[in-house]
Amino acid sequence: MASNKVIMVAEKPSIALSIASVLSHGQMSTRKASTDVHEFEGIFLGFHVHFKVTSVIGHVFSVDFPEKYQNWTTTDPLDLFQAPIQKTEANPKAHIRRHLSQEARGYGNLVLWLDCDREGENICFEVMDCIGNSNETRRRIYRARFSSVTEKDILKAMDNLVEPNKDEALAVDARQEIDLKVGVAFTRFQTSFFQGKYGNLDSRVISYGPCQTPTLGFCVQRYLQINTFKPEKFWAVRPYIMQKGYELQLEWERNKLFDYDVAVMFQKLVMEDGILEVTEIVEKQESKSRPSGLNTVNLLKVASSALGFGPQMAMQVAERLYTQGFISYPRTESTAYPSSFDFRGTLGAQVNNPTWGSYVQRLLADGYQKPRSGTDVGDHPPVTPLRSATEDMLGNDAWRLYEYICTHFIGTVSPDCKYVRTKVEFSIGGEFFHCVGHRVLVKGFTSIMPWLAVTEKNLPQFTKGEKIEVSQVDLHEGMTSPPDYLSESELISLMEKNGIGTDASISVHINNICERNYVQVLAGRKLGPTALGITLIRGYQCIDPDLCLPDIRSFIEQQITLVAKGQADHFRVVQHVLQQFRQKYSYFVKQIENMDALFEAQFSPLADSGRVLSKCGKCLRYMKHISTQPSRLYCNTCEEVYYLPQKGSIKLYKELTCPLDNFELLIFSMPGPDGKSFPLCPYCYNSPPFEGIDTLFGAVKSGPSSQLGKGAGMPCFLCPHPTCRHSLIAQGVCACPECSGTLVLDPVSAPKWRLCCNMCNFLVLLPEGAHQISTTRERCPECDSTILEVDFNKKTTPLENGETLYTGCILCDELLHSLVEMKYGKSFFKRMGGRGRGRGSRRGGYRGRGRGTGKKVDPKMSFRDF
């Protein structure tokens, strides 16, 4: 009969062996199959039954796209967001599906011994799918909940069987579908776009992941903080005293100052006084609290910072210790022990340990402490030791992790560390100083965790009001220093704080960014982002910062948690999240050239041939000019790309700087004898600082408005800055008769001086050979044009008596007007009337601005209405 047969399925063969050994009291038969099968007779729910115990090896299935979506060339990644997905065997060669189906045939009861987390719950339903329900067998399905594979926990789980949780399984399905579709769509597009275009990316795929990429973002954010850090000098006054044979350095209440002269003044005040007075002596008993229970995140942090294990390795070692029965389940978010936890029994298992057994014996004899209250998430108790072990039993790596888990647990039930803190305060010359000493009273938990011990510092005896002569007064000089690269331990904290990943997946995400060559693990388990990692994050920041910020993943995790709790519908959550990412993907594809610019500047061999040109206004370091199309500047320090006007030459403009952002100005010269030249600020050109400037130089017309693309921007001759001498306000002369632009003085056109239209190719040639021609602040009373000042050459001056300096309006002044010549336009002179230079015609012709509107417009301020 099927009802008197029970099949049990565990997550790993080793756990299946432990369960079978406990329930059969070691009296079982074992045979080989895809995974080992253990059989024995026993009692189940009061009935005599035949047991069969076997296992899977992790997830039975993995999710993927059907065959028609596998071709990168023929499938648009955008279609993946709405593509169907299918579950296929994760390890086809193991034949787990067939194994379970065969072994379960004729068995009426199924007990699921999968790990007690969401992933384990999901595997429960995978096992149920494999086994199915045949016509002759209507199986009863039970779920065993346990935290360790000790005899006590296994028997307790057998007495408290529950039903599997469908909602938690669906939460995993939701995460798998979202991560698959989002990750594959972005990864395929990025990889296809960049691969082959750049030869030194040093990564097979340019992958994106909703968890992986924000994780990388934290590392790059710290790198950028380091790179943009500007060290500052500081000074601190440090008096020294000799007291009862002790030399003491006193700490300044002001700590440090960033003004040298002020620091020297305080040093002189102290030196001139020369006598310290003890103003206060404060003794206070303080305590250092014992740790809370150990959860997965804290275990990974300590493994990285103290043991030198990467998160992935630490979890592998911890899982091995768990399956061997040395520790409890290592994936837990809880730091609080359940009220029923057997502390005495857990400590008792360690009394004979050669390393800490004697300490545990004293602890049991004197009375152990109740652990500090922590967080109880309701999943598993904190990671605790279950069996005593030695280094010979475990091997070096496993022993070191086991040793920490044991000492941490013993520390949680040890007394707090108690010590006396003494602070002595002094005054001298109106300034205040102090010194601090520590005297330990009770070592407590620091006896077993010495790295957390309070450092003792004994102070000599002082009395209040005592006067002491200063032996020396130093002025210490130091420099502020940047933060270090992010450590794995710090990264794990940031991921936990921002809801990136779970206790089960944090190690996977960190491992991924290392394997993809986005970061390198440096000495001390520090994570230094590579050029590829930095460029990717900078690219996402340029296009859509959400793609690399933790907020969006944290939101997804919250939604998935609602599914796990049965408070949200699985299908609706998945569709909602995918719709958001689909829109982000479409926008990302349209804006990919912004990321491409960063890649090209960083990885293209052409970038290496770029020449140093001008200083960046942000970091004040030189930027490279990459002359190949599209012409651009690249700041290696800030990792920024600045596009320049195309199809011309660029050079530095006398080391002048922009008053808005401190970038050095450049001069762009168009090719040909009549090619105009104009100054520009690289930053303003790419990020116009004034609102309303809707016409950009070099903009590509598409639709109703101009779009800022590669090479389009705002040069100085479009800038309405009111005081900058390079702006439209200062250099504009009059309206262009051919278009709605303004004629501006070309500042480097000497000796062939000219005015150029800032919109079209209209030119006005000014008196040739002049030493200098410049704009003034004066306006023509007749036509409101800017008055020009001309410094003629002494040999060719048209002025009487050899005079060289002359000011006037090129439209209204007869002398200047007779010396100018226009190019590439038909209406400039004709509109000034048939008589050649009639002022009335000139004014009227000018005001029409070539449009025939008759509307009076400010001739220079063409942005009047913005």
Side-chain angles (χ1 to χ4, degrees):
M1 285 178 62
S3 60
N4 64 0
K5 291 183 177 180
V6 179
I7 183 168
M8 297 183 170
V9 181
E11 192 161 321
K12 298 179 183 70
S14 56
I15 297 175
L17 175 61
S18 298
I19 293 165
S21 300
V22 168
L23 296 180
S24 71
H25 306 289
Q27 304 298 311
M28 61 190 180
S29 63
T30 301
R31 57 184 167 83
K32 294 289 182 184
S34 293
T35 58
D36 288 355
V37 179
H38 313 285
E39 296 187 64
F40 54 91
E41 303 296 319
I43 303 297
F44 180 70
L45 302 178
F47 296 95
H48 186 82
V49 297
H50 180 77
F51 283 105
K52 183 185 283 185
V53 184
T54 188
S55 73
V56 293
I57 40 177
H59 272 285
V60 182
F61 299 112
S62 60
V63 291
D64 205 348
F65 294 106
E67 187 64 34
K68 66 176 286 191
Y69 293 95
Q70 295 292 341
N71 190 313
W72 286 35
T73 308
T74 58
T75 303
D76 183 347
L78 187 65
D79 296 338
L80 298 177
F81 288 95
Q82 293 168 312
I85 58 171
Q86 61 186 24
K87 289 196 171 190
T88 55
E89 274 204 73
N91 192 350
K93 292 181 180 178
H95 303 295
I96 296 296
R97 184 174 196 164
R98 186 182 66 192
H99 168 67
L100 292 176
S101 178
Q102 289 174 350
E103 296 297 336
R105 205 167 290 156
Y107 280 70
N109 299 283
L110 170 64
V111 182
L112 298 157
W113 287 85
L114 287 307
D115 289 350
C116 294
D117 54 17
R118 286 185 196 168
E119 297 293 331
E121 217 63 35
N122 188 261
I123 300 172
C124 283
F125 284 85
E126 291 179 354
V127 171
M128 290 158 62
D129 286 345
C130 292
I131 290 175
N133 272 315
S134 60
N135 292 330
E136 73 277 5
T137 309
R138 185 72 183 171
R139 288 191 184 84
R140 292 189 180 89
I141 299 170
Y142 305 91
R143 174 74 159 108
R145 297 212 167 269
F146 59 104
S147 296
S148 69
V149 288
T150 59
E151 182 176 350
K152 180 183 172 185
D153 256 29
I154 289 170
L155 295 175
K156 182 181 176 183
M158 278 294 284
D159 292 336
N160 296 275
L161 297 172
V162 296
E163 292 183 4
N165 188 323
K166 181 69 174 174
D167 292 327
E168 288 196 351
L170 286 173
V172 174
D173 284 343
R175 185 189 287 114
Q176 285 178 341
E177 184 172 352
I178 290 167
D179 288 354
L180 173 74
K181 291 184 172 179
V182 173
V184 172
F186 277 90
T187 298
R188 283 192 189 180
F189 173 71
Q190 287 180 173
T191 305
S192 299
F193 188 88
F194 293 117
Q195 207 172 46
K197 194 168 186 180
Y198 307 103
N200 56 340
L201 293 178
D202 199 21
S203 186
R204 190 174 54 82
V205 290
I206 314 298
S207 65
Y208 175 85
C211 278
Q212 171 198 123
T213 305
T215 301
L216 172 62
F218 290 128
C219 301
V220 175
Q221 184 182 16
R222 175 62 66 85
Y223 163 83
L224 294 174
Q225 287 173 359
I226 296 168
N227 241 32
T228 55
F229 184 85
K230 294 180 179 176
E232 285 185 88
K233 276 189 179 180
F234 64 82
W235 292 268
V237 178
R238 289 186 175 174
Y240 291 81
I241 59 170
M242 290 294 294
Q243 179 76 349
K244 298 181 174 61
Y246 284 90
E247 184 182 50
L248 282 178
Q249 177 207 307
L250 307 184
E251 298 298 324
W252 196 13
E253 287 294 326
R254 295 181 189 273
N255 191 17
K256 58 192 174 192
L257 295 177
F258 292 91
D259 188 311
Y260 175 74
D261 293 333
V262 175
V264 168
M265 178 195 74
F266 282 122
Q267 182 192 26
K268 285 180 179 175
L269 285 174
V270 172
M271 291 173 74
E272 286 169 4
D273 189 324
I275 303 295
L276 282 156
E277 181 180 349
V278 179
T279 56
E280 194 70 55
I281 301 172
V282 180
E283 277 201 359
K284 186 179 178 184
Q285 185 170 314
E286 296 186 355
S287 66
K288 189 171 186 177
S289 297
R290 57 192 179 277
S292 297
L294 181 65
N295 65 6
T296 307
V297 165
N298 288 323
L299 176 63
L300 295 179
K301 286 162 64 175
V302 170
S304 175
S305 59
L307 306 180
F309 295 170
Q312 187 87 342
M313 178 185 171
M315 281 314 300
Q316 288 170 354
V317 173
E319 283 173 3
R320 191 162 71 247
L321 288 169
Y322 161 65
T323 56
Q324 292 170 342
F326 288 107
I327 64 171
S328 63
Y329 191 60
R331 297 187 193 277
T332 176
E333 295 178 40
S334 296
T335 57
Y337 294 95
S339 55
S340 59
F341 191 89
D342 182 8
F343 293 103
R344 181 167 289 278
T346 307
L347 284 169
Q350 301 292 333
V351 291
N352 294 320
N353 187 283
T355 309
W356 47 76
S358 57
Y359 179 88
V360 173
Q361 288 171 18
R362 288 197 304 274
L363 197 60
L364 286 169
D366 299 339
Y368 60 85
Q369 303 292 312
K370 187 179 178 183
R372 282 172 57 207
S373 59
T375 306
D376 187 0
V377 183
D379 50 355
H380 295 277
V383 185
T384 51
L386 301 175
R387 287 167 48 199
S388 181
T390 62
E391 185 172 358
D392 291 342
M393 293 167 64
L394 300 178
N396 183 260
D397 290 343
W399 163 254
R400 291 171 65 210
L401 192 66
Y402 171 80
E403 181 183 31
Y404 178 75
I405 292 168
C406 287
T407 53
H408 187 103
F409 169 72
I410 297 166
T412 63
V413 292
S414 295
D416 288 346
C417 171
K418 291 185 169 56
Y419 61 96
V420 174
R421 181 178 184 270
T422 305
K423 183 178 182 182
V424 184
E425 298 177 0
F426 306 85
S427 72
I428 179 172
E431 287 302 292
F432 298 93
F433 299 86
H434 66 266
C435 60
V436 176
H438 295 127
R439 181 165 50 87
V440 176
L441 303 175
V442 179
K443 284 189 175 182
F445 75 95
T446 63
S447 296
I448 196 77
M449 304 176 80
W451 57 90
L452 296 176
V454 172
T455 305
E456 291 213 37
K457 182 182 179 183
N458 294 315
L459 293 181
Q461 198 66 37
F462 291 97
T463 54
K464 190 172 179 180
E466 183 180 356
K467 302 264 199 298
I468 304 165
E469 188 177 342
V470 175
S471 61
Q472 184 180 339
V473 183
D474 287 351
L475 188 63
H476 170 73
E477 181 183 296
M479 293 280 281
T480 57
S481 57
D484 206 341
Y485 283 116
L486 208 62
S487 68
E488 273 179 341
S489 182
E490 290 172 310
L491 178 58
I492 292 165
S493 295
L494 285 169
M495 292 174 73
E496 182 192 29
K497 179 181 176 183
N498 289 277
I500 303 296
T502 63
D503 56 343
S505 64
I506 281 175
S507 60
V508 176
H509 302 315
I510 295 176
N511 189 61
N512 282 344
I513 63 173
C514 294
E515 286 195 341
R516 297 280 189 272
N517 194 37
Y518 294 160
V519 300
Q520 290 179 332
V521 181
L522 309 175
R525 304 299 303 181
K526 304 284 184 184
L527 299 172
T530 62
L532 178 57
I534 295 163
T535 308
L536 270 177
I537 293 300
R538 297 289 287 143
Y540 296 132
Q541 288 171 341
C542 284
I543 297 173
D544 182 357
D546 271 352
L547 293 173
C548 59
L549 289 175
D551 312 50
I552 197 163
R553 183 61 196 194
S554 182
F555 169 74
I556 293 170
E557 291 290 349
Q558 290 166 12
Q559 298 293 302
I560 288 171
T561 299
L562 292 178
V563 174
K565 291 179 178 178
Q567 297 171 3
D569 178 69
H570 155 262
F571 177 78
R572 291 179 64 186
V573 165
V574 170
Q575 292 308 306
H576 173 63
V577 172
L578 288 178
Q579 181 59 29
Q580 281 186 317
F581 272 104
R582 191 175 190 274
Q583 291 173 349
K584 287 184 174 295
Y585 173 83
S586 297
Y587 182 75
F588 179 75
V589 170
K590 290 174 186 171
Q591 300 292 323
I592 191 63
E593 66 173 21
N594 292 323
M595 184 183 272
D596 185 32
L598 294 169
F599 266 79
E600 193 169 348
Q602 181 66 49
F603 295 107
S604 171
L606 298 171
D608 297 338
S609 63
R611 62 185 178 89
V612 169
L613 182 63
S614 65
K615 282 185 182 178
C616 168
K618 293 181 181 179
C619 64
L620 301 180
R621 295 180 182 175
Y622 281 99
M623 299 187 287
K624 274 187 172 182
H625 174 222
I626 300 165
S627 57
T628 53
Q629 295 294 328
S631 177
R632 59 216 180 277
L633 286 175
Y634 177 63
C635 178
N636 195 44
T637 305
C638 301
E639 308 285 345
E640 292 278 5
V641 171
Y642 302 99
Y643 285 112
L644 299 172
Q646 305 302 303
K647 298 178 181 176
S649 62
I650 283 281
K651 61 182 180 181
L652 196 61
Y653 187 25
K654 303 177 184 176
E655 297 186 339
L656 300 170
T657 58
C658 174
L660 290 173
D661 48 50
N662 210 32
F663 276 67
E664 285 188 333
L665 298 183
L666 306 173
I667 284 284
F668 174 74
S669 301
M670 299 177 82
D674 296 324
K676 58 186 174 185
S677 303
F678 53 82
L680 63 101
C681 159
Y683 190 83
C684 292
Y685 191 79
N686 286 264
S687 305
F690 297 98
E691 293 180 2
I693 298 178
D694 56 2
T695 305
L696 297 167
F697 179 84
V700 179
K701 292 287 183 183
S702 73
S705 62
S706 300
Q707 292 187 342
L708 182 58
K710 288 184 179 178
M714 189 197 81
C716 296
F717 66 35
L718 289 177
C719 175
H721 194 289
T723 59
C724 177
R725 62 192 180 101
H726 312 291
S727 72
L728 173 66
I729 302 296
Q731 296 297 319
V733 176
C734 62
C736 174
E738 289 293 302
C739 71
S740 60
T742 301
L743 297 181
V744 294
L745 181 65
D746 184 333
V748 292
S749 54
K752 298 182 179 181
W753 296 96
R754 59 195 174 180
L755 303 179
C756 308
C757 176
N758 61 3
M759 297 289 183
C760 68
N761 62 352
F762 185 83
L763 290 178
V764 175
L765 304 181
L766 298 175
E768 190 170 336
H771 279 307
Q772 182 68 38
I773 298 181
S774 57
T775 55
T776 67
R777 294 179 178 271
E778 296 173 21
R779 308 293 287 269
C780 173
E782 295 287 327
C783 68
D784 205 34
S785 296
T786 298
I787 299 293
L788 293 182
E789 182 180 273
V790 182
D791 184 5
F792 289 102
N793 188 310
K794 278 186 178 181
K795 295 179 181 178
T796 58
T797 178
L799 304 178
E800 295 177 359
N801 302 323
E803 293 286 335
T804 58
L805 209 58
Y806 190 84
T807 57
C809 168
I810 62 163
L811 294 178
C812 303
D813 184 276
E814 291 195 13
L815 173 65
L816 283 183
H817 191 75
S818 67
L819 297 173
V820 302
E821 178 187 0
M822 71 89 186
K823 263 195 167 187
Y824 306 114
K826 298 177 181 178
S827 56
F828 188 67
F829 292 99
K830 288 181 180 177
R831 286 192 181 182
M832 298 199 300
R835 291 177 298 164
R837 292 190 298 275
R839 288 191 179 182
S841 299
R842 216 178 305 150
R843 286 192 348 243
Y846 159 70
R847 284 175 182 161
R849 297 182 67 187
R851 292 185 174 182
T853 60
K855 176 184 175 184
K856 183 172 180 178
V857 182
D858 183 338
K860 191 169 66 169
M861 194 54 191
S862 55
F863 299 103
R864 180 173 184 163
D865 297 323
F866 76 78

